[in-house]
Tab-separated table of all heavy atoms in Angstrom:
chain	number	residue	atom	x	y	z
A	1	LEU	N	181.399	117.248	106.528
A	1	LEU	CA	182.141	116.881	105.389
A	1	LEU	C	182.918	118.219	104.898
A	1	LEU	O	184.051	118.060	104.467
A	1	LEU	CB	181.269	116.508	104.283
A	1	LEU	CG	180.562	115.105	104.498
A	1	LEU	CD1	179.516	114.753	103.466
A	1	LEU	CD2	181.604	114.026	104.638
A	2	GLN	N	182.341	119.313	104.988
A	2	GLN	CA	182.989	120.603	104.544
A	2	GLN	C	184.220	120.843	105.459
A	2	GLN	O	185.228	121.305	104.929
A	2	GLN	CB	182.038	121.807	104.589
A	2	GLN	CG	181.092	121.740	103.552
A	2	GLN	CD	180.050	122.846	103.598
A	2	GLN	OE1	180.194	123.857	104.397
A	2	GLN	NE2	178.973	122.798	102.747
A	3	SER	N	184.119	120.440	106.711
A	3	SER	CA	185.306	120.679	107.635
A	3	SER	C	186.447	119.759	107.349
A	3	SER	O	187.528	120.010	107.706
A	3	SER	CB	184.805	120.462	109.045
A	3	SER	OG	184.649	119.052	109.399
A	4	THR	N	186.179	118.673	106.528
A	4	THR	CA	187.250	117.818	106.022
A	4	THR	C	187.847	118.151	104.626
A	4	THR	O	188.581	117.427	104.142
A	4	THR	CB	186.776	116.379	106.093
A	4	THR	OG1	185.786	116.122	105.127
A	4	THR	CG2	186.227	115.924	107.339
A	5	GLY	N	187.262	119.305	104.136
A	5	GLY	CA	187.819	119.798	102.888
A	5	GLY	C	186.967	119.438	101.633
A	5	GLY	O	187.306	119.840	100.507
A	6	VAL	N	185.726	118.881	101.850
A	6	VAL	CA	184.916	118.584	100.787
A	6	VAL	C	184.196	119.873	100.308
A	6	VAL	O	183.582	120.556	101.151
A	6	VAL	CB	183.831	117.486	101.208
A	6	VAL	CG1	182.840	117.253	100.040
A	6	VAL	CG2	184.589	116.201	101.639
A	7	PRO	N	184.175	120.124	99.027
A	7	PRO	CA	183.488	121.355	98.545
A	7	PRO	C	181.985	121.354	98.908
A	7	PRO	O	181.326	120.284	99.031
A	7	PRO	CB	183.557	121.344	97.095
A	7	PRO	CG	184.824	120.463	96.781
A	7	PRO	CD	184.813	119.435	97.942
A	8	ALA	N	181.391	122.596	99.159
A	8	ALA	CA	180.057	122.532	99.732
A	8	ALA	C	178.921	121.838	98.910
A	8	ALA	O	178.162	121.124	99.357
A	8	ALA	CB	179.574	124.031	99.771
A	9	GLU	N	179.029	121.977	97.494
A	9	GLU	CA	178.092	121.273	96.733
A	9	GLU	C	178.227	119.771	96.828
A	9	GLU	O	177.218	119.080	96.932
A	9	GLU	CB	178.254	121.761	95.250
A	9	GLU	CG	177.158	121.198	94.335
A	9	GLU	CD	177.340	121.836	92.910
A	9	GLU	OE1	177.403	123.068	92.767
A	9	GLU	OE2	177.538	121.043	91.952
A	10	LEU	N	179.454	119.300	96.810
A	10	LEU	CA	179.540	117.905	96.910
A	10	LEU	C	179.229	117.356	98.269
A	10	LEU	O	178.714	116.273	98.427
A	10	LEU	CB	181.089	117.521	96.584
A	10	LEU	CG	181.521	115.981	96.627
A	10	LEU	CD1	180.666	115.205	95.609
A	10	LEU	CD2	182.996	115.923	96.230
A	11	ALA	N	179.518	118.205	99.321
A	11	ALA	CA	179.164	117.823	100.657
A	11	ALA	C	177.715	117.615	100.754
A	11	ALA	O	177.237	116.672	101.405
A	11	ALA	CB	179.607	118.878	101.638
A	12	GLU	N	176.874	118.530	100.227
A	12	GLU	CA	175.438	118.308	100.238
A	12	GLU	C	175.041	117.023	99.494
A	12	GLU	O	174.112	116.331	100.024
A	12	GLU	CB	174.817	119.591	99.704
A	12	GLU	CG	174.748	120.737	100.665
A	12	GLU	CD	173.799	121.820	100.243
A	12	GLU	OE1	172.770	121.445	99.519
A	12	GLU	OE2	173.983	122.896	100.593
A	13	GLU	N	175.576	116.715	98.444
A	13	GLU	CA	175.269	115.614	97.614
A	13	GLU	C	175.599	114.340	98.345
A	13	GLU	O	174.777	113.358	98.470
A	13	GLU	CB	176.109	115.615	96.266
A	13	GLU	CG	175.717	114.564	95.210
A	13	GLU	CD	176.500	114.631	94.031
A	13	GLU	OE1	176.564	115.826	93.499
A	13	GLU	OE2	176.999	113.629	93.548
A	14	ILE	N	176.764	114.266	98.940
A	14	ILE	CA	177.189	113.133	99.672
A	14	ILE	C	176.402	112.950	100.998
A	14	ILE	O	176.032	111.928	101.402
A	14	ILE	CB	178.686	113.197	100.037
A	14	ILE	CG1	179.440	112.884	98.606
A	14	ILE	CG2	179.079	112.146	100.985
A	14	ILE	CD1	180.908	112.928	98.705
A	15	SER	N	176.051	114.068	101.565
A	15	SER	CA	175.186	114.085	102.818
A	15	SER	C	173.826	113.397	102.535
A	15	SER	O	173.400	112.548	103.210
A	15	SER	CB	174.970	115.441	103.373
A	15	SER	OG	176.204	115.979	103.856
A	16	GLN	N	173.218	113.830	101.359
A	16	GLN	CA	171.968	113.248	100.981
A	16	GLN	C	172.136	111.794	100.726
A	16	GLN	O	171.296	110.964	101.248
A	16	GLN	CB	171.554	113.920	99.679
A	16	GLN	CG	170.161	113.574	99.268
A	16	GLN	CD	169.098	113.851	100.230
A	16	GLN	OE1	168.978	114.958	100.778
A	16	GLN	NE2	168.187	112.921	100.532
A	17	ALA	N	173.262	111.387	100.028
A	17	ALA	CA	173.380	109.958	99.759
A	17	ALA	C	173.592	109.161	101.050
A	17	ALA	O	173.147	108.106	101.201
A	17	ALA	CB	174.560	109.793	98.841
A	18	ALA	N	174.337	109.741	102.001
A	18	ALA	CA	174.570	109.078	103.289
A	18	ALA	C	173.305	108.852	104.147
A	18	ALA	O	173.007	107.778	104.665
A	18	ALA	CB	175.598	109.910	104.082
A	19	TRP	N	172.490	109.943	104.160
A	19	TRP	CA	171.265	109.832	104.881
A	19	TRP	C	170.288	108.751	104.167
A	19	TRP	O	169.523	108.117	104.870
A	19	TRP	CB	170.558	111.188	105.128
A	19	TRP	CG	171.171	111.904	106.208
A	19	TRP	CD1	172.215	112.801	106.220
A	19	TRP	CD2	170.789	111.783	107.611
A	19	TRP	NE1	172.505	113.199	107.486
A	19	TRP	CE2	171.647	112.652	108.280
A	19	TRP	CE3	169.853	110.982	108.249
A	19	TRP	CZ2	171.539	112.701	109.720
A	19	TRP	CZ3	169.740	111.145	109.696
A	19	TRP	CH2	170.579	111.930	110.339
A	20	SER	N	170.369	108.779	102.896
A	20	SER	CA	169.498	107.866	102.171
A	20	SER	C	170.030	106.436	102.389
A	20	SER	O	169.157	105.513	102.651
A	20	SER	CB	169.714	108.122	100.642
A	20	SER	OG	168.619	107.774	99.901
A	21	ARG	N	171.301	106.191	102.415
A	21	ARG	CA	171.845	104.900	102.745
A	21	ARG	C	171.535	104.506	104.163
A	21	ARG	O	171.295	103.424	104.437
A	21	ARG	CB	173.453	104.869	102.533
A	21	ARG	CG	174.149	103.747	102.839
A	21	ARG	CD	174.257	102.735	101.814
A	21	ARG	NE	174.461	103.166	100.440
A	21	ARG	CZ	175.715	103.202	99.923
A	21	ARG	NH1	176.813	102.949	100.610
A	21	ARG	NH2	175.827	103.658	98.650
A	22	GLY	N	171.639	105.513	105.089
A	22	GLY	CA	171.145	105.270	106.450
A	22	GLY	C	169.750	104.834	106.563
A	22	GLY	O	169.436	103.907	107.341
A	23	TRP	N	168.898	105.455	105.827
A	23	TRP	CA	167.507	104.897	105.785
A	23	TRP	C	167.348	103.620	105.374
A	23	TRP	O	166.696	102.707	105.966
A	23	TRP	CB	166.629	105.955	104.994
A	23	TRP	CG	165.235	105.403	104.823
A	23	TRP	CD1	164.695	104.903	103.662
A	23	TRP	CD2	164.179	105.416	105.741
A	23	TRP	NE1	163.406	104.500	103.864
A	23	TRP	CE2	163.076	104.873	105.091
A	23	TRP	CE3	164.103	105.790	107.051
A	23	TRP	CZ2	161.828	104.628	105.790
A	23	TRP	CZ3	162.945	105.525	107.677
A	23	TRP	CH2	161.797	105.012	107.112
A	24	GLU	N	168.000	103.323	104.237
A	24	GLU	CA	167.873	101.940	103.657
A	24	GLU	C	168.479	100.801	104.606
A	24	GLU	O	168.027	99.743	104.678
A	24	GLU	CB	168.755	101.872	102.297
A	24	GLU	CG	168.132	102.668	101.245
A	24	GLU	CD	169.135	102.882	100.026
A	24	GLU	OE1	170.230	102.410	100.085
A	24	GLU	OE2	168.608	103.573	99.044
A	25	CYS	N	169.537	101.233	105.391
A	25	CYS	CA	170.193	100.292	106.309
A	25	CYS	C	169.899	100.441	107.693
A	25	CYS	O	170.626	99.932	108.590
A	25	CYS	CB	171.709	100.353	106.027
A	25	CYS	SG	172.184	100.109	104.358
A	26	ARG	N	168.783	101.235	108.080
A	26	ARG	CA	168.490	101.627	109.446
A	26	ARG	C	168.294	100.409	110.385
A	26	ARG	O	168.609	100.508	111.539
A	26	ARG	CB	167.237	102.477	109.565
A	26	ARG	CG	165.998	101.828	109.117
A	26	ARG	CD	164.846	102.853	108.909
A	26	ARG	NE	163.608	102.209	108.547
A	26	ARG	CZ	163.283	101.750	107.386
A	26	ARG	NH1	164.193	101.998	106.440
A	26	ARG	NH2	162.156	101.208	107.135
A	27	ALA	N	168.003	99.138	109.848
A	27	ALA	CA	167.842	97.978	110.710
A	27	ALA	C	169.187	97.514	111.262
A	27	ALA	O	169.222	96.908	112.297
A	27	ALA	CB	167.268	96.801	109.841
A	28	GLN	N	170.361	98.023	110.699
A	28	GLN	CA	171.656	97.567	111.097
A	28	GLN	C	172.135	98.489	112.257
A	28	GLN	O	173.255	98.230	112.886
A	28	GLN	CB	172.646	97.806	109.994
A	28	GLN	CG	172.418	96.812	108.757
A	28	GLN	CD	173.360	96.985	107.692
A	28	GLN	OE1	174.313	97.771	107.760
A	28	GLN	NE2	173.045	96.435	106.591
A	29	LEU	N	171.473	99.569	112.449
A	29	LEU	CA	171.801	100.573	113.505
A	29	LEU	C	171.604	100.052	114.867
A	29	LEU	O	170.401	99.634	115.194
A	29	LEU	CB	171.069	101.928	113.338
A	29	LEU	CG	171.345	102.995	114.310
A	29	LEU	CD1	172.775	103.456	114.301
A	29	LEU	CD2	170.440	104.130	114.103
A	30	LYS	N	172.653	99.826	115.682
A	30	LYS	CA	172.514	99.203	116.988
A	30	LYS	C	172.053	100.182	118.080
A	30	LYS	O	171.449	99.794	119.005
A	30	LYS	CB	173.831	98.541	117.379
A	30	LYS	CG	174.169	97.386	116.365
A	30	LYS	CD	175.460	96.731	116.811
A	30	LYS	CE	175.596	95.617	115.846
A	30	LYS	NZ	176.773	95.514	115.161
A	31	ASN	N	172.455	101.526	117.970
A	31	ASN	CA	172.105	102.453	119.001
A	31	ASN	C	171.445	103.576	118.300
A	31	ASN	O	172.105	104.517	117.714
A	31	ASN	CB	173.345	102.879	119.582
A	31	ASN	CG	173.152	103.961	120.765
A	31	ASN	OD1	171.962	104.363	120.963
A	31	ASN	ND2	174.125	104.428	121.364
A	32	PRO	N	170.107	103.778	118.372
A	32	PRO	CA	169.393	104.867	117.637
A	32	PRO	C	169.860	106.280	118.111
A	32	PRO	O	169.874	107.194	117.291
A	32	PRO	CB	167.873	104.674	118.019
A	32	PRO	CG	167.875	103.270	118.293
A	32	PRO	CD	169.198	102.855	118.853
A	33	ALA	N	170.504	106.359	119.340
A	33	ALA	CA	171.021	107.663	119.787
A	33	ALA	C	172.215	108.117	119.082
A	33	ALA	O	172.529	109.255	119.005
A	33	ALA	CB	171.294	107.620	121.344
A	34	ALA	N	172.829	107.140	118.349
A	34	ALA	CA	174.096	107.430	117.594
A	34	ALA	C	173.867	107.510	116.095
A	34	ALA	O	174.770	107.411	115.326
A	34	ALA	CB	175.131	106.372	117.910
A	35	LEU	N	172.614	107.847	115.715
A	35	LEU	CA	172.274	107.892	114.280
A	35	LEU	C	173.057	108.854	113.551
A	35	LEU	O	173.681	108.599	112.450
A	35	LEU	CB	170.777	108.164	114.090
A	35	LEU	CG	170.214	108.384	112.797
A	35	LEU	CD1	170.478	107.049	111.911
A	35	LEU	CD2	168.783	108.798	112.778
């Protein structure tokens, strides 16, 4: 996220939200290797 221009603090916050969403929706993941 930081490499796309997102400030560090916001990048961490969004990363946390993304991983959280990933956990909630993990049943939708078709290829666990691409997590």
Side-chain angles (χ1 to χ4, degrees):
L1 292 175
Q2 287 176 10
S3 75
T4 65
V6 176
E9 188 174 301
L10 183 58
E12 283 196 23
E13 184 179 319
I14 290 176
S15 296
Q16 184 63 44
W19 278 92
S20 206
R21 176 90 40 94
W23 170 254
E24 292 167 359
C25 301
R26 67 191 180 281
Q28 297 174 12
L29 180 63
K30 294 181 176 121
N31 179 4
L35 177 62

